[in-house]
Amino acid sequence: MEVIIHDTPQDAASTGARMVARLVREKPHAVLGLATGGTPLPLYRELVRLHREEGLDFSRVTTFNLDEYLGLGPGHPQSYHHFMREHLFDHLNIPAENTHIPDGMTPDVPAFCRDYERRIAEAGGIDLQILGIGSDGHIGFNEPGSSFASRTRIKTLARETLHDNARFFNDDPAKVPHHCITMGIGTIMDARCVLLLAFGSGKAEAIAGMVEGPVTASLPASILQHHPTAKVLIDSPAATALHRADYYRWVYENKPAWQRE
Ligand code: GLP
């Protein structure tokens, strides 16, 4: 696990965007795993800028989103379908048929989930998975206790997550859908590269547990310690609970030139 600490979310997002851009230039048919939430927004803004100003071409890229609320159709303003159009897809040249997001209105959840896994496999697997982290350590919507072997499936959101996400639903946790479809932890771990972003002091404890705590289903993101290429891009406030923050900064400053992104 490589921990990269930047002063600001913007700096971290620029580093993350450079990693995505390099992949897309080297492999125009790259398969990206995408996340929602506030955290990836500066990264998405930077990708849009790279597309507009530097011609970064997404025309052959395929994407799979991590999750979607059950019961919200693609037109719902709080659906992740809407989020992705608003913040990314409407601003890139990625064909709509290349983008995949779990269907929150599917009449047959298990069949949909099996098919989502099949589509990921048929696309060749995910090259780079972008992740945020919940304050309870969830990735996607894999709440504490989720199996490390889990695949795409229905999950019930934890109360903490309902409260965290109530800000998008008139500050009323009861209005947040209680169920979702999410890629499983096994699905996420199959990605060839994983890039987790976290900003702000509210994520500091989850980040410390993920990076330096025991690997435990009680903090699902901690499984990323077992991922061969996981990178953790955080700002200084999110790094405050890390015991080895100085070492991670030292490692980054001393990276050989050929290893830099
Ligand atoms: C939601 C999403 C996660 C995301 C998390 C953190 O629960 N399902 O993918 O990482 O929120 O959100 P934020 O980035 O807004 O803090």
Side-chain angles (χ1 to χ4, degrees), residues 35-40 66-67 80 132-134 138 140-141 161 165 167 203:
T36 51
T39 305
L66 283 166
D67 46 18
Y80 288 163
I133 185 169
H138 72 236
F141 268 131
T161 303
N165 291 2
R167 65 189 195 279
K203 301 291 172 73

Side-chain angles (χ1 to χ4, degrees), residues 74-90:
H76 191 287
Q78 299 311 334
S79 71
Y80 288 163
H81 280 76
H82 186 273
F83 176 102
M84 291 308 300
R85 285 196 305 273
E86 182 181 3
H87 295 293
L88 196 65
F89 297 154
D90 283 355

